[in-house]
Structure formats: C-alpha cells, structure tokens
Amino acid sequence: MAGQTLFQKVWDSHVVTGTDPSLLYVDLQLVHEVTSPQAFAGLAQSNRRVRRPDLTLATIDHGVPTTDRHLGIRDRLSKTQIDALRANCATHGITLFDLDDPRQGIVHVIAPEQGLTQPGMLIVCGDSHTSTHGAFGALAFGIGTSEVEHVLATQTIWQSRPGSMAIEIDGQLPWGVSAKDLILGAITAIGVSGGGKHVIEYRGAAVEALTMEERMTVCNMTIEAGARAGMIAPDETTFAYLKDRPFAPQGQDWDLALEAWTTMRTDPDAVFDATHHVDASRLVPHVSWGVNPAQTVGIDGEVPHPETFTDHLQRDSAVRALQYMDLDPGTPMTDIVIDHVFIGSCANGRLEDLRAAARVAEGKSVKNGVSAIVVPGSMQVKAQAEAEGLDRIFTSAGFEWRDAGCSSCLAMNPDVIPPGGRCASTSNRNYEGRQGRGARTHLVSPAMAAASAITGHFVDVREWEPR
Amino acid sequence: MKPVRAITGTMLHMDRADVDTDQIIPQQFLKRIERDGYGEFLFHNWAHHDNGELNHEFIINHPQRSGARVLIAGPNFGCGSSREHAAWAIQDWGFEAVIAPSLADIFKNNAANIGLLPIELDGEHVAVLFDIATDPAAVIDIDLLEQTIVSGELTLEFDINPNVKERLLGGIDTIGVTLGHGEAISAHESRRPSWMPMTTAGGAA
C-alpha cells in the first residue's frame, strides 16, 4: 500500500464517522463579527448551546476603524455587528480578544502568534483566508455561516474529501523576490481555479527555506487558486516558532506534541492526485494588472494584450479587467502611476512584512499626492514593530501608522479607496470594488508597495534596495 | 431549510468566468446581522452605475428576467470570499438553482446548506443552456429526485452527492442529524491529544 500524504494523515485523524461526506472533528474554530451573527441567532432559535467554547476564539477585525479607536465605532451597522459578537461571546462563554485587548488583530494573524495554530489540527473559520493556518501543517479552511453554526453546535463539520495536489517549488528565491511573489507566480501558473476541489501541499527546497511568516503568506493565498486548503509540513522552523508561545504546549505536553508533529509529513512513497512544479530561482517581483490574482505579471513585464489569451472566457475577462483597471495593453508595469498604498492584511501584515517595507522606506519620503497607510496585522505586531522603531521609520517617511485590522483589504471599515483611486496593496485580492467601488487594486509584496509609495509608480525593488 | 424537489422556471445567464462573491454581494452589504433581505443587493456594483442609477443593460435589470428561477453561470462561479451572503442574495432574489461548469468549493457548500440547488455540468451542456437562455421565455425543468434537466431539445442527467441530495430533498436540519452522532463525537473527544490547545486555558494577556 502506498504511503500517505500529510493531508490524508490529518484528515484521517479527524474522521468521527462517515466517508462521503465524513464528519470531521474541529480542534479550533475562529470567529469574527461579520460571518457569525446569523449563526448565533440560529443557535438561539433552536435552543442550542455552543458545544466547546473552550475550542473557540473570537476577535473583532473586519469592521474596526484603524484610527481614533477611543472615539468608539461610529459606523452604526458595524457597531451593531460588533456589539452582537460581544453579547454572543458573553452568553456562550467564548474567549473574545476585544478592541481593548493587546492581543486583538486579524483572526489569521492572532491565532498563530498566540500559538493556538499547531501542526495536525483541524481549524475552521467563516473566512476564506483560513487557509493561512496550513503553514503549520494544520488542515484549515474557510466555511460559510451555516457551517459556522454547525461547528458551534457540534464541534464537527461534514466534508467530502478533496483530492491532493503537490506544488513542488524547487530552487532558491532570488534576492529581492518575496514569498508574496512566489505565491502570485504559482497562482498565475495554475490559474484562479487551478486548485479547485484539492488541498495543496507546498513542498520543495524553496518552501523549506521559508520562515513561518513567509509560509503563512503562501498558504494564505491558496484560496486564490481555488483550493480547499494549503499545507506545509511542519519542521524545525515550525517547532522553533511555536516554542513558548502563550497557547503552545508546555512541559511534558511539549515533548508529546513534538513526537506527534514529527510524524506529520508526506510519506516518501505517497502519491498525489496532481502535481505542479515551480522554479523559485526564475521568479521576479510580481504586480497584478487585472481583477483576479492570476491576472499578474512580473515587474519587468507589461500589461498584456487580451488577444494573447486563447480561451475566450479568459480573453473576455482580460478585456473587462483592462476597462475596469483603466489600463492600456502594452503599458510597462513600471509606468503605472499609483495614488494609494496599503501595507497590511492577513497576507502581509506581520512583523517581517513591516520590516521589509521599512527597509525600503527608511530615510525616504512618500511621493506627494500618494496616500500611504501601514496597518499591522495585530496589536502585538504593532507593539513589536514599535519596539524596533519601525513606526518612526514609516511616519518620518510620510506613511500613516495605524491600529490593527483588516482595513483596506476589503474596505468594510472607514479605510476605503475612493472611486478611480489606484492602490499598490499587499493584500490578497484585486477583485473589482474590493477596496471600494471603482477602486483599482494592484497586488504586490510589502517591499514593492513601499517602493511605489516613494516613487509614485511601480519600480523593480531588486534595483532599488541596496544589496 | 425548505425541501427542494422539482424546479421549473425561466433562466438568467451570465457567461463570465470566475465571478467572485465580492461581485455577487459587495462588502458594504455584509454589515447587517439579519439573514434575509440580501436579494436587492445582488450584483449591486454591476447592476448600478457609479451615480447609483440602475444599469438597465445589465441582465438582472431586464424586466423579462425578473421571474427567473435558475442562474446559468460560467466556470469557477462564486470564487473568493466564504461569505454565505452570496448564496443568500441569489436565493433571496428568487433563484432556486445555480448551474455552472464548476462552482467554487465554499460557495457550493453554502448553496447546498441553504437549499439553493448547486449543479455542475459539462461545459458543453452549459453552453447549450446559455444558447437556450438567450430566449427569456425559455423554461427549464430540474428534477432533483430523478437528477434530470430538461430544457428545449436538451435532456440530460446530472451528478450530485447522494448525501447532499438527501438533505435537499428532505429539507433536513443537518445539525439535528449530527447531534444524533453525539456518542461518536464524545468518543473522538476523549481520544483528543492532551497537547492540543484550549482557548480558555493559558495565554495570559
């Protein structure tokens, strides 16, 4: 019998009953204010309780302002939603990292930094970027509100088993090319539905060399390839990251955990249902030109001509994208002028991301007419960055330094890009209207975003940063 | 959830790939805590001009489509965000089924969980339905029990997970079913490793 993949091992260890679908046990459910109120209302309507509040963690991230928090939430609807989460957590005894908690932040940033995300766990959240947690070798995926309610009530979820897909990333990332460029390159290669009905395992020398924060960036954007989840086998990098985090195992439990975690890798003779290869050494910094994350090219490239797409749907999509983005085919990416910069999100709002952006921004000034904000992924990231002086580098250069939240990634809070605005964004989605109606989003790495803030257009950060 | 059995009605077709849930229901409409009333915001940014007026060219605003019951869509429909609001909006507008060459995984689950019948068909068959649906009066009949679709000259069978089919036909409360597996869930819980975290223990602020 062939060996098992990491995904199969984690899946099998969570099956309570059934085959297609299987009832899977959930080790951790993360909850936020936007996709949970109707789930809690459903529970109340049926007189049901939360089975395991001790395996549930809530925070407030999507709708929170990133400035002047002491003034409270001024958006009436957002306030109602946030107050509902507070009341629901109080009723059911769920731990909530509220706005006054130093651990508040984006749900996919705080669980890993608290040590709650661990190898071999099954983690769900009413948010598609739950794939982030797969960076630790957890099986983690986004779910809808009906499923949120189901998990609250039963601590389980019905799922049909997806296929397994390997993305083998060999070689070494060149200098100036980031994990964001790696995943944008992979998505561009396999397409926004290329991972559909599969769980991706990222493998290979380039993946093993990534830090945990870089791995989270890669797994975060797995959903942008349509995959159910993304995973990376836990290794010494993972264990070193977890050691001594607040919710990580302690003492004898740490030894037991380590013993279990080291078995969580794909057997040498395991067979994947599909395999793709990416050569990391050939990657360059990427910039998206269109309205989905696969509509992306290298910074040394140009806005494509729609007729170069052979598939008629992709061609139509490119035509509409160029119209929305107000771009002409053949325009060099370095000629595109931006007026907004957003550095943050669950893709790129961690300490290493802010360090990369600060290295570029240090001693420089944001171009006149460019509005640039830095939104740490959590209040802990914010505190760590301030301890290193990154906030002063940003503010001296003319960036705004904000409080933690999802912010301009999806513009549910006041950080909306105005109609016609063009934003270099470290977030994960460049959909039409994502950052505000009529706003145009270009996905880039933190270093690329910082460099564009200073020049006012996209530049090749490989020529920018001193080696 | 209301049981789903047979669906008969006219169609609305949207021949685009990769329609994401941000287009189906934009973020500004996700701030409500209610579960219904999202239909009027369906495809809001495409259905309205920048000045807020209705975009009469957009198919959802064509008066002869107002009674459509089946949405015919392109590949990878419903990709992106997990927001169930997308499925709620489609159902609240009046649709009872979505047919596409492929549906994004989370959207497909969300649709099935609220009784919006998700059907994936070969691209060639969807292309035929696109042709038929250009006539706003053309009718489609979907029979979930028999797993058949009939429209114009087209008669075909479709695949669906037997468990999903049973839930839809019965309008079954899935949570109720799962609570019936309480012993198996408790047994699994008792085997759960001691090193796995609990959110109520440890982790001082």
Side-chain angles (χ1 to χ4, degrees):
Chain A
M1 196 179 104
Q4 287 190 305
T5 63
L6 165 64
F7 158 58
Q8 286 164 338
K9 290 180 186 182
V10 179
W11 177 280
D12 287 352
S13 67
H14 287 83
V15 174
V16 172
T17 186
T19 47
D20 184 21
S22 295
L23 186 65
L24 303 175
Y25 195 78
V26 175
D27 294 310
L28 175 65
Q29 174 161 229
L30 303 167
V31 173
H32 64 83
E33 75 274 22
V34 175
T35 58
S36 66
Q38 296 87 352
F40 283 110
L43 283 187
Q45 217 167 32
S46 317
N47 260 323
R48 287 170 176 151
R49 64 184 183 92
V50 176
R51 183 181 173 98
R52 294 298 299 265
D54 57 336
L55 303 184
T56 311
L57 177 76
T59 195
I60 299 168
D61 54 7
H62 281 62
V64 294
T66 55
T67 56
D68 299 325
R69 279 203 183 152
H70 60 284
L71 299 176
I73 316 279
R74 275 170 290 184
D75 182 315
R76 188 178 52 82
L77 286 173
S78 289
K79 184 172 188 318
T80 303
Q81 207 166 47
I82 288 165
D83 286 343
L85 181 64
R86 288 169 173 154
N88 288 326
C89 288
T91 301
H92 296 282
I94 294 169
T95 303
L96 169 69
F97 291 177
D98 206 336
L99 288 187
D100 56 358
D101 192 305
R103 301 168 297 184
Q104 178 268 336
I106 307 174
V107 66
H108 310 307
V109 175
I110 64 171
E113 83 184 355
Q114 290 299 320
L116 278 165
T117 300
Q118 298 174 16
M121 290 174 67
L122 196 148
I123 300 174
V124 298
C125 174
D127 189 287
S128 60
H129 292 112
T130 306
S131 57
T132 310
H133 308 270
F136 291 78
L139 176 59
F141 49 89
I143 58 177
T145 298
S146 294
E147 294 174 316
V148 170
E149 181 180 342
H150 187 281
V151 178
L152 286 171
T154 68
Q155 204 57 34
T156 60
I157 188 164
W158 292 99
Q159 294 283 302
S160 292
R161 189 159 104 176
S164 61
M165 178 183 288
I167 297 190
E168 302 273 357
I169 308 172
D170 297 321
Q172 196 185 347
L173 276 180
W175 181 89
V177 181
S178 72
K180 182 65 161 292
D181 303 307
L182 193 167
I183 188 62
L184 282 171
I187 294 164
T188 305
I190 73 170
V192 287
S193 58
K197 298 172 176 52
H198 285 77
V199 168
I200 295 174
E201 182 182 337
Y202 300 96
R203 300 157 58 79
V207 177
E208 288 162 21
L210 296 175
T211 66
M212 285 317 296
E213 297 195 1
E214 292 171 323
R215 294 178 191 186
M216 284 188 254
T217 300
V218 170
C219 287
N220 174 275
M221 291 194 64
T222 301
I223 183 69
E224 313 314 333
R228 201 71 187 91
M231 300 177 85
I232 294 174
D235 59 11
E236 292 302 324
T237 304
T238 320
F239 310 148
Y241 177 96
L242 279 166
K243 186 98 177 102
D244 297 328
R245 300 240 163 208
F247 288 89
Q250 313 286 334
Q252 195 189 351
D253 273 340
W254 173 261
D255 298 331
L256 287 171
L258 215 52
E259 200 177 313
W261 293 345
T262 45
T263 67
M264 290 170 192
R265 43 184 49 252
T266 294
D267 296 328
D269 56 342
V271 178
F272 288 90
D273 298 321
T275 301
H276 294 277
H277 290 271
V278 174
D279 181 355
S281 63
R282 295 168 64 104
L283 289 170
V284 300
H286 277 61
V287 184
S288 70
W289 53 266
V291 294
N292 72 49
Q295 291 179 326
T296 295
V297 291
I299 182 66
D300 49 359
E302 57 184 36
V303 177
H305 291 265
E307 58 268 30
T308 57
F309 294 91
T310 48
D311 176 71
H312 88 276
L313 284 169
Q314 295 308 322
R315 193 161 54 239
D316 293 351
S317 174
V319 169
R320 272 196 305 275
L322 294 188
Q323 191 176 5
Y324 181 84
M325 293 296 288
D326 192 27
L327 290 172
D328 294 322
T331 306
M333 294 312 287
T334 48
D335 282 3
I336 297 174
V337 173
I338 54 99
D339 44 35
H340 285 77
V341 172
F342 168 61
I343 297 174
S345 85
C346 57
N348 277 134
R350 299 181 182 82
L351 188 60
E352 290 174 14
D353 300 314
L354 303 191
R355 283 181 187 149
R359 268 199 303 276
V360 171
E362 186 158 21
K364 310 259 187 350
S365 293
V366 170
K367 176 98 170 170
N368 250 346
V370 174
S371 161
I373 65 171
V374 183
V375 184
S378 71
M379 292 309 279
Q380 295 241 316
V381 169
K382 183 175 187 182
Q384 288 162 344
E386 288 177 352
E388 294 183 11
L390 303 186
D391 59 321
R392 291 191 299 280
I393 292 175
F394 285 122
T395 52
S396 307
F399 291 81
E400 289 182 47
W401 180 246
R402 299 288 187 88
D403 287 332
C406 300
S407 181
S408 297
C409 175
L410 86 166
M412 278 193 75
N413 78 340
D415 304 337
V416 180
I417 310 297
R422 188 178 295 280
C423 184
S425 179
T426 68
S427 54
N428 35 38
R429 289 192 172 135
N430 51 340
Y431 297 151
E432 287 181 40
R434 175 80 180 180
Q435 297 192 290
R437 187 184 171 112
R440 298 166 181 136
T441 303
H442 294 274
L443 303 177
V444 288
S445 71
M448 288 285 285
S452 68
I454 287 149
T455 57
H457 59 86
F458 291 112
V459 289
D460 190 338
V461 80
R462 292 173 301 176
E463 296 161 13
W464 173 274
E465 277 189 285
R467 269 173 199 266
Chain B
M1 185 170 91
K2 279 199 307 193
V4 180
R5 172 69 167 80
I7 297 166
T8 296
T10 56
M11 294 172 273
L12 185 152
H13 58 303
M14 198 167 288
D15 192 8
R16 302 180 178 200
D18 309 317
V19 172
D20 59 78
T21 53
D22 278 67
Q23 308 317 311
I24 298 172
I25 181 103
Q27 70 274 25
Q28 63 266 35
F29 306 112
L30 308 184
K31 295 180 182 177
R32 302 169 63 244
I33 61 170
E34 295 80 18
R35 187 159 184 154
D36 42 27
Y38 293 91
E40 62 178 301
F41 309 123
L42 181 62
F43 294 114
H44 182 272
N45 288 0
W46 287 347
H48 295 79
H49 292 294
D50 288 344
N51 62 9
E53 287 177 13
L54 274 189
N55 174 5
H56 293 286
E57 286 181 14
F58 188 61
I59 189 164
I60 213 156
N61 292 328
H62 295 184
Q64 64 271 42
R65 300 283 177 177
S66 63
R69 288 290 168 266
V70 177
L71 177 62
I72 315 292
N76 198 30
F77 183 81
C79 62
S81 157
S82 64
R83 58 189 72 168
E84 194 165 303
H85 309 66
W88 296 340
I90 291 170
Q91 188 180 56
D92 192 53
W93 192 88
F95 292 110
E96 296 171 33
V98 181
I99 299 177
S102 58
L103 297 164
D105 293 340
I106 305 177
F107 175 81
K108 189 178 171 186
N109 285 349
N110 289 346
N113 284 332
I114 65 165
L116 173 67
L117 178 60
I119 299 177
E120 291 176 314
L121 291 181
D122 284 348
E124 292 162 36
H125 288 133
V126 177
V128 174
L129 286 176
F130 273 122
D131 279 345
I132 297 172
T134 53
D135 173 6
V139 169
I140 186 169
D141 292 296
I142 304 173
D143 187 319
L144 176 57
L145 187 64
E146 301 296 332
Q147 294 179 223
T148 56
I149 293 174
V150 178
S151 185
E153 300 294 301
L154 188 74
T155 301
L156 56 89
E157 293 184 3
F158 63 90
D159 287 332
I160 188 164
N161 178 292
N163 180 276
V164 172
K165 177 180 173 177
E166 190 187 318
R167 277 196 286 134
L168 287 167
L169 283 171
I172 289 168
D173 166 25
T174 311
I175 296 177
V177 172
T178 306
L179 290 172
H181 292 286
E183 277 184 28
I185 297 171
S186 297
H188 185 96
E189 269 171 341
S190 68
R191 295 191 300 270
R192 194 170 177 270
S194 64
W195 50 263
M196 279 203 189
M198 286 188 289
T199 57
T200 44

